[in-house]
Amino acid sequence: MRLTVFGATGGIGGEIVRQALASGHHVTAVVRDPARLAAIGDRLDVVRADLTDAGALRGAVAGRDAVLSGLGARGRADARAGVATRLTVPVLRAMEAEGTRRLLVVSAAPLAPAVEREALADRVALALVGRVFKAVYDDLRALEAELARSATDWTSVRPPRLLDTPLTGTYRTAVGRNPRGARRIGRADVAHAMLTMIDDAATVKEGVGVAY
């Protein structure tokens, strides 16, 4: 497949690029600073672009089978500025202009509905995280609202606490909710899940929880 990756220098985005290349896909990595991109490969194209300019992004998404985004706030200051939403909206506009449909983005577990019969400790922990990082999740709620209004076939992937651990390929997913007892997952496995979901029609226009 021909894939475009935004946020390709981040933890999840970098894993998406590496795993996609290893699987034989052709990848276009859209970055602001190419020097920060660790991946290399014959099937890798690197595009330096202003991520706030939808017009500048159209060539990077035109004719692609899917667009995957690891864009998000790097801290609370970014979140208060609405970085995840502000950087993703131009991607949506570029995709709509080019007729590119499939989009997968990273969101977060606290945005999912409460899991039925979830253990009290897990409910309390998720609620606490949601309050402590309220600015981050408010930004992601705004992002998901933009997805819902768009013409794309989007999927919002909602991991809990992220770890820098090796790829396992063994994790749980749940469409429209979090897996029961969702507490953590490695960035490499989030990337793997996103690549796996590209052709999964059940995940289109849905939030999908992913966790160990």
Side-chain angles (χ1 to χ4, degrees):
M1 286 188 287
R2 289 172 55 81
L3 308 177
T4 294
V5 181
F6 289 89
T9 59
I12 293 174
E15 281 290 341
I16 293 172
V17 172
R18 285 188 288 272
Q19 292 180 35
L21 290 172
S23 296
H25 301 301
H26 186 108
V27 178
T28 298
V30 183
V31 297
R32 285 175 288 191
D33 181 5
R36 295 183 56 216
L37 184 65
I40 57 173
D42 294 338
R43 295 182 307 280
L44 175 64
D45 294 325
V46 181
V47 174
R48 184 173 188 170
D50 177 358
L51 301 185
T52 64
D53 182 355
L57 303 179
R58 289 182 59 172
V61 302
R64 300 316 194 269
D65 298 297
V67 174
L68 299 96
S69 172
L71 293 170
R74 295 182 183 273
R76 295 186 194 182
D78 278 355
R80 286 191 293 270
V83 162
T85 305
R86 184 162 53 86
L87 294 183
T88 304
V89 167
V91 176
L92 291 171
R93 300 293 90 85
M95 291 180 65
E96 289 167 339
E98 293 296 334
T100 303
R101 300 283 304 183
R102 191 69 173 112
L103 172 66
L104 299 97
V105 306
V106 177
S107 184
L111 273 67
V115 177
E116 196 173 329
R117 296 187 300 277
E118 181 72 288
L120 177 61
D122 290 322
R123 292 202 308 271
V124 170
L126 202 60
L128 180 60
V129 168
R131 286 196 293 270
V132 171
F133 296 99
K134 182 178 183 299
V136 175
Y137 301 130
D138 284 349
D139 184 17
L140 291 174
R141 286 187 186 91
L143 166 60
E144 292 203 0
E146 292 288 349
L147 294 177
R149 287 191 288 268
S150 77
T152 64
D153 292 332
W154 56 270
T155 297
S156 174
V157 180
R158 297 168 172 162
R161 184 165 69 92
L162 292 166
L163 308 173
D164 288 318
T165 49
L167 175 66
T168 70
T170 55
Y171 48 81
R172 297 172 295 144
T173 61
V175 176
R177 60 178 179 83
N178 291 323
R180 195 179 308 280
R183 296 186 179 184
R184 60 187 66 85
I185 189 169
R187 289 176 173 83
D189 280 311
V190 176
H192 185 273
M194 293 175 72
L195 289 164
T196 301
M197 290 178 201
I198 290 174
D199 289 328
D200 187 350
T203 68
V204 172
K205 299 186 186 299
E206 293 280 1
V208 181
V210 56
Y212 293 139

